[in-house]
Amino acid sequence: MDAREILQNTSIRLTPVREAILGVLLNERCPMSYREVAARLPEGQDRVTLYRALSLFLKEGIVHRVMDMKGTWRFCAHDPGHPGCPGNHPHFACRVCGRMECLMEHSLPHLEVGPETVVEGKHLVLYGICWECVVKKTRKKETGSS
Amino acid sequence: MDAREILQNTSIRLTPVREAILGVLLNERCPMSYREVAARLPEGQDRVTLYRALSLFLKEGIVHRVMDMKGTWRFCAHDPGHPGCPGNHPHFACRVCGRMECLMEHSLPHLEVGPETVVEGKHLVLYGICWECVVKKTRKKETGSS
DNA sequence: AGATAAATGCAACAGTGTTGCAGGAAGGAG
DNA sequence: CTCCTTCCTGCAACACTGTTGCATTTATCT
Ligand SMILES: [Mn+2]
Ligand SMILES: [Mn+2]
Ligand SMILES: [Zn+2]
Ligand SMILES: [Zn+2]
């Protein structure tokens, strides 16, 4: 399912900007910051329009949103047929390359809190070094010391 | 143990500003944003000095840090004798009053990720409505409809 | 094609967090 | 106690994310 089709299944209007933005998210399939999305759009695209499109996608439920370790929101287009609520899974953030990935295979833990407290959602972010950055670092060390 | 004692147990210098800042954190015992800390300090206190003090406390291990749902860091002074790494517990954030609390009694879940991936830490934040705000809301509803 | 509701771009703003630098204070040595 | 060194403080300036208001343009329906 491409961006056009997905947008036509919602109540919002289909515009070139929105199609382009959703297209970027569908291409990468990992949570992206507004900045990362903007870098893959035609230069000169207005920041505000991008922010508003992302918020709208979120409201329509065609993307989910995670906060990374720098305090910026990242948006990710999920497969429309995926089980469970969108974004209802943990994420991993690499502090070296800055990328984030969805840990779709895991579910969020259940925690028992006070009986009156209302838990509306959970954010679980693991952070560290992704395997790609680990491999790169290992290679560099080997070639450096030999 | 008060702020003065804690600071003297570290390698950093004891200054009035730092004593005041740590004092605020010890008073509240919940993760506070720089803004919340500043509000409890003598007016005119420089923002940058506050940020630097908090970062230093973090490096020295006398506070821990959590990111809230608005993307701002919150700092919390833990009991020095508490078991486990500081901040190694989940948190709850209330979207009504904005307060955050430490769920000290719970531990962070273990997730199996790829063998090469290095997991350095985890952030688990539950969000919703704290019991105090739930109670307030219930009262308001009752008095409003009666 | 025309009407209408909504999307876009622009300017301006609020907030968090960082850096560089000059002056001032803390803590140790004598 | 006094001096000296080191580091802390406050200020100005900056980068970045995210929001709001408004005028103009565009998508969609009739
Ligand atoms: Mn995800
Ligand atoms: Mn905590
Ligand atoms: Zn990486
Ligand atoms: Zn509350």
Side-chain angles (χ1 to χ4, degrees), chain A residues 13 15 17-18 45-46 49 52:
Chain A
R13 286 190 187 168
T15 70
V17 182
R18 289 177 181 171
Q45 174 59 52
D46 186 56
T49 305
R52 287 201 262 232

Side-chain angles (χ1 to χ4, degrees), chain A residues 64-126:
Chain A
H64 66 278
R65 192 175 72 158
V66 201
M67 186 165 286
D68 67 15
M69 285 299 107
K70 284 184 177 167
T72 66
W73 287 112
R74 291 176 164 268
F75 296 81
C76 182
H78 49 72
D79 296 311
H82 208 274
C85 201
N88 223 0
H89 49 257
H91 294 85
F92 177 84
C94 175
R95 67 165 167 82
V96 178
C97 64
R99 271 204 294 265
M100 185 180 262
E101 53 188 290
C102 301
L103 303 176
M104 306 284 263
E105 65 274 23
H106 294 92
S107 54
L108 293 167
H110 176 75
L111 268 73
E112 207 57 58
V113 295
E116 293 280 15
T117 308
V118 177
V119 176
E120 295 173 339
K122 299 167 219 167
H123 261 243
L124 173 56
V125 178
L126 281 64

Side-chain angles (χ1 to χ4, degrees), chain B residues 94 97 130 133:
Chain B
C94 176
C97 63
C130 74
C133 287

Side-chain angles (χ1 to χ4, degrees), chain B residues 26-94:
Chain B
L26 289 171
N27 244 8
E28 305 288 331
R29 300 258 166 190
C30 69
M32 301 174 79
S33 65
Y34 112 82
R35 185 159 273 269
E36 287 170 344
V37 176
R40 285 160 183 79
L41 288 173
E43 200 169 355
Q45 175 59 52
D46 186 56
R47 279 175 346 102
V48 182
T49 305
L50 176 45
Y51 277 124
R52 287 201 261 234
L54 292 172
S55 300
L56 204 56
F57 293 173
L58 184 70
K59 206 175 69 182
E60 291 292 320
I62 58 182
V63 301
H64 66 279
R65 192 175 73 158
V66 202
M67 186 165 285
D68 66 15
M69 284 301 107
K70 284 184 177 167
T72 65
W73 287 112
R74 292 176 163 267
F75 296 81
C76 182
H78 48 74
D79 297 311
H82 207 273
C85 202
N88 223 0
H89 49 256
H91 294 85
F92 177 83
C94 176

Side-chain angles (χ1 to χ4, degrees), chain A:
Chain A
M1 209 138 110
D2 68 342
R4 185 175 214 96
E5 283 177 276
I6 293 175
L7 288 172
Q8 278 169 342
N9 277 352
T10 69
S11 59
I12 64 177
R13 286 190 187 168
L14 174 64
T15 70
V17 182
R18 289 177 181 171
E19 203 179 331
I21 294 171
L22 187 53
V24 169
L25 292 177
L26 289 171
N27 245 7
E28 306 288 331
R29 299 258 166 192
C30 69
M32 301 173 77
S33 63
Y34 110 84
R35 184 159 273 268
E36 288 171 343
V37 176
R40 286 160 182 79
L41 288 173
E43 201 171 353
Q45 174 59 52
D46 186 56
R47 277 171 352 101
V48 181
T49 305
L50 176 45
Y51 277 122
R52 287 201 262 232
L54 292 171
S55 299
L56 203 57
F57 293 171
L58 184 70
K59 205 175 70 184
E60 291 291 322
I62 58 181
V63 300
H64 66 278
R65 192 175 72 158
V66 201
M67 186 165 286
D68 67 15
M69 285 299 107
K70 284 184 177 167
T72 66
W73 287 112
R74 291 176 164 268
F75 296 81
C76 182
H78 49 72
D79 296 311
H82 208 274
C85 201
N88 223 0
H89 49 257
H91 294 85
F92 177 84
C94 175
R95 67 165 167 82
V96 178
C97 64
R99 271 204 294 265
M100 185 180 262
E101 53 188 290
C102 301
L103 303 176
M104 306 284 263
E105 65 274 23
H106 294 92
S107 54
L108 293 167
H110 176 75
L111 268 73
E112 207 57 58
V113 295
E116 293 280 15
T117 308
V118 177
V119 176
E120 295 173 339
K122 299 167 219 167
H123 261 243
L124 173 56
V125 178
L126 281 64
Y127 55 93
I129 314 178
C130 75
W131 68 269
E132 283 168 295
C133 288
V134 169
V135 168
K136 266 185 219 157
K137 207 204 267 178
T138 312
R139 282 219 193 98
K140 202 185 280 180
K141 215 185 275 177
E142 283 171 359
T143 56
S145 62
S146 66

